[in-house]
Amino acid sequence: LDLHLEPGGRGVRAGLEAAVREAVRSGRLSAGVRLPSSRALAADLGIARNTVAEAYGQLVAEGWLLATQGSGTRVGNRAGLAQQPATGAPPLQPRYDLRPGSPDVAAFPRAGWLAAARRSLSLAPATALGYGDPRGRPELREALAGYLARTRGVRASPDRIVVCAGFSHGFSLLCQVLSARGATTLAVEGYSQPQYRKIAVTQRLTTTAVPVDAGGADIGRIGAADAVLLTPAHQFPLGMALAPARRSKLLDWAADHDATVIEDDYDGEFRYDRQPIGALQPRSPERIVYAGTTSKSLAPGLRLAWLVLPAHFVDDIIAAKALSDGVTSTLEKLTLAEFINSGQYDRQIRRQRQAYRRRRDQLLTALHGGVSLIRITGIAAGLHALLQLPATVTEEEVIARASRSDLALDGLNTYRHTEEPHHSALVIGYATPPGHAYPTAIEKLTEALWDR
Ligand SMILES: Cc1ncc(COP(=O)(O)O)c(C=O)c1O
């Protein structure tokens, strides 16, 4: 109940009232927040308790505060009013969301995670809570080395793993190190996440676009570059796997250009119709940086991801990491190590794989029930599908129609980084809504597609 107020003005009481009103009006104190007792606030501010009690009384009378029996004084809904956007402004969060990028965060395994947190913290030595190795706790790096070798075929030793705050953080460190070593050009897939291109540019790298077709990135057209960022197991956002012949060709290209390959394996665990495609990294561990994340398997809010590095990168990445965030949240790392070692991570992935597969099938059924002019691709894996629209409608039109019924959609144009001809399409993130909202989200999608 610590409260920062700067009472000023004429009388002490009037000054206190004005300070609370201002804090509520500006949104610094939001509706429902509990205020200190009059005794505690009086002691903090060095004023009489009666003065605080009278000020609270006045603010309650005016509706700024609420006095509730048994739970003290709280900020009233005026705070909510003060924070509401101007009339006519769209709501900040759409009610239904089929944009890609997030798993179903409502399915986060809270009980299992809490149990792992409790157990790992009880077992951790006190020294674990110090600054420690910028690569992250050894318990997690050990657990990841075993897990990645077992499930993705990655050749990983714990000393080459660096745990970072999301893939975007690890990627930023890589760009920084590449740039410091004299790299100037990073090739990215012609359709890819725009934020990674921005990160590269921030680190003074020029990005070039590799065209993507049905076989994934067209390796023969990468050209000259110091590094390439790819999503080989499941191209983001188009959804295909990199064709086997291109996987080999990529290794030749990297050797010929003495280049680094960054393998972004963001949703490699989620494959539905056959065995997951293994990682590329074991075919050239000294050229390929393998990157994985918990942002799809658990929740983006965890901010936990990992890089498996070629030996020559390790020291430079450690140095860059030490300057960026030092050590990424130790408690979360200990918990994840326990979560993996106890088998719960595998169980959660298996459970969610089934859940997302059902959702994908529901999506296909709903769309096939309509006009078959829409082609759906990229559905063998991951948490998103590509809906290719007929020439009679643009993605912007469908997105606008959907937003009128409070459904957020994402068009393929958002991810475009190429001058090649563009075909209108939607990138549907079918994992995003919580389970109870999914059927309605799908219904709204079909309405927006067929303008019903
Ligand atoms: C292509 C791709 N890679 C990686 C990630 C994960 O990023 P992060 O670990 O920073 O959440 C995402 C998340 O949306 C993504 O779309």
Side-chain angles (χ1 to χ4, degrees):
L1 292 188
D2 205 7
L3 176 65
H4 173 77
L5 286 176
E6 289 180 3
R10 300 134 295 155
V12 176
R13 178 182 142 185
L16 176 57
E17 286 171 17
V20 174
R21 279 190 209 102
E22 192 285 321
V24 174
R25 210 179 280 121
S26 68
R28 206 157 57 73
L29 284 179
S30 49
V33 165
R34 193 166 158 191
L35 294 187
S37 69
S38 54
R39 183 195 300 274
L41 188 58
D44 280 354
L45 297 177
I47 59 179
R49 184 181 170 193
N50 265 355
T51 309
V52 177
E54 283 165 17
Y56 274 10
Q58 179 61 32
L59 291 164
V60 168
E62 291 174 16
W64 296 96
L65 302 182
L66 291 172
T68 40
Q69 194 89 45
S71 71
T73 306
R74 291 179 184 273
V75 176
N77 328 335
R78 262 175 184 269
L81 291 177
Q83 281 165 42
Q84 270 187 7
T87 42
L92 293 176
Q93 275 293 336
R95 182 121 181 251
Y96 301 96
D97 196 346
L98 284 174
R99 290 173 295 186
S102 180
D104 175 6
V105 285
F108 184 79
R110 292 183 192 220
W113 188 261
L114 283 171
R118 179 181 291 273
R119 186 169 155 73
S120 61
L121 188 55
S122 335
L123 296 178
T127 48
L129 301 174
Y131 282 106
D133 189 325
R135 281 174 294 195
R137 284 300 298 172
E139 293 90 332
L140 178 55
R141 290 187 283 114
E142 292 263 350
L144 283 171
Y147 172 78
L148 295 173
R150 175 166 57 80
T151 62
R152 309 291 300 125
V154 172
R155 289 244 297 268
S157 75
D159 55 321
R160 293 212 196 169
I161 296 181
V162 175
V163 182
C164 37
F167 169 72
S168 30
H169 179 216
F171 176 63
S172 172
L173 298 176
L174 277 169
C175 289
Q176 190 182 328
V177 168
L178 283 165
S179 182
R181 289 181 177 190
T184 56
T185 311
L186 173 84
V188 297
E189 289 157 311
Y191 286 92
S192 51
Q193 280 283 11
Q195 85 238 38
Y196 303 144
R197 305 197 291 260
K198 286 188 198 142
I199 288 173
V201 170
T202 309
Q203 299 298 345
R204 300 182 309 283
L205 294 173
T206 303
T207 60
T208 57
V210 189
V212 184
D213 59 26
D218 188 349
I219 305 301
R221 294 170 71 188
I222 298 181
D226 299 294
V228 61
L229 169 64
L230 293 175
T231 45
H234 188 224
Q235 206 282 333
F236 188 91
L238 300 177
M240 68 289 284
L242 188 63
R246 289 190 178 173
R247 287 163 76 94
S248 304
K249 204 165 177 182
L250 173 65
L251 304 179
D252 294 341
W253 172 86
D256 290 349
H257 290 79
D258 193 17
T260 301
V261 175
I262 304 169
E263 178 177 17
D264 176 9
D265 195 31
Y266 63 104
D267 67 1
E269 298 92 346
F270 295 105
R271 189 155 192 103
Y272 307 116
D273 302 320
R274 53 182 158 113
Q275 281 296 306
I277 294 174
L280 257 174
Q281 184 264 7
R283 294 182 58 179
S284 186
E286 296 307 331
R287 279 222 180 273
I288 302 179
V289 176
Y290 173 88
T293 177
T294 56
S295 288
K296 310 287 172 187
S297 54
L298 289 171
L302 273 181
R303 306 313 299 140
L304 278 179
W306 42 87
L307 300 176
V308 181
L309 296 165
H312 68 94
F313 268 126
V314 175
D315 288 343
D316 286 356
I317 292 286
I318 292 177
K321 171 104 179 23
L323 288 180
S324 101
D325 73 336
V327 184
T328 310
S329 168
T330 292
L331 294 184
E332 304 293 6
K333 283 201 287 255
L334 290 171
T335 305
L336 181 58
E338 170 62 25
F339 201 74
I340 294 173
N341 290 336
S342 62
Q344 295 198 73
Y345 191 62
D346 284 72
R347 277 200 290 282
Q348 173 70 5
I349 286 172
R350 221 173 302 126
R351 205 167 25 235
Q352 289 312 108
R353 197 184 288 140
Q354 283 170 5
Y356 295 144
R357 188 199 173 115
R358 275 196 299 275
R359 283 182 181 219
R360 179 201 67 163
D361 294 346
Q362 271 172 274
L363 174 72
L364 296 181
T365 309
L367 295 178
H368 284 147
V371 185
S372 58
L373 287 174
I374 293 174
R375 276 190 62 219
I376 310 163
T377 52
I379 51 172
L383 314 183
H384 68 269
L386 191 76
L387 266 55
Q388 300 181 38
L389 301 176
T392 47
V393 69
T394 66
E395 57 192 68
E396 289 75 19
E397 282 162 353
V398 181
I399 292 168
R401 286 205 290 256
S403 86
R404 288 197 283 277
S405 64
D406 218 357
L407 169 69
L409 296 178
D410 219 350
L412 183 57
N413 236 332
T414 311
Y415 304 99
R416 186 171 183 213
H417 184 50
T418 168
E419 296 309 317
E420 312 253 317
H422 178 78
H423 301 289
S424 262
L426 299 172
V427 187
I428 298 295
Y430 50 82
T432 312
H436 64 84
Y438 188 63
T440 314
I442 297 279
E443 207 177 299
K444 284 176 179 287
L445 170 66
T446 55
E447 284 165 10
L449 283 170
W450 295 309
D451 198 14
R452 286 205 289 253

